[in-house]
Amino acid sequence: MARGWTCVFTTLAPYRVVLVDSAIHGAKWLPEAAEFVRRHRTALEQLPLIYFLVCTTLREDTAEHHREVLAYLDPVRAIL
């Protein structure tokens, strides 16, 4: 399913830090966001990197939900 998002970055060379974000859908990062990380893996390994995600899991602020949300980052962290 196309979401209408297109990556316009061909290089990350001009940047000193990168924020990578995604909505969480079905307990997963959007494929476009994960693909951005895959495509720019080498550059991202050299830069300070901030992950940001949006999900409804934390509408109830519990330790269990915090663990669940942190686990959403695991597949993307594994790329780097």
Side-chain angles (χ1 to χ4, degrees):
M1 170 168 76
R3 294 183 188 357
W5 183 87
T6 304
C7 178
V8 295
F9 296 96
T10 56
T11 179
L12 297 180
Y15 301 97
R16 296 187 314 174
V17 65
V18 177
L19 184 142
V20 178
D21 67 339
S22 178
I24 300 298
H25 184 70
K28 296 181 181 178
W29 276 56
L30 295 179
E32 299 88 348
E35 177 57 30
F36 174 86
V37 174
R38 275 188 219 88
R39 182 179 308 135
H40 296 286
R41 176 183 179 176
T42 302
L44 292 172
E45 288 174 335
Q46 306 303 313
L47 293 166
L49 180 60
I50 301 164
Y51 293 107
F52 179 83
L53 56 87
V54 177
C55 66
T56 59
T57 305
L58 288 177
R59 68 181 172 260
E60 292 181 37
D61 191 11
T62 67
E64 180 181 339
H65 286 166
H66 282 253
R67 285 189 296 275
E68 183 179 341
V69 169
L70 285 174
Y72 294 159
L73 293 171
D74 290 345
V76 177
R77 286 180 176 161
I79 296 169
L80 300 174

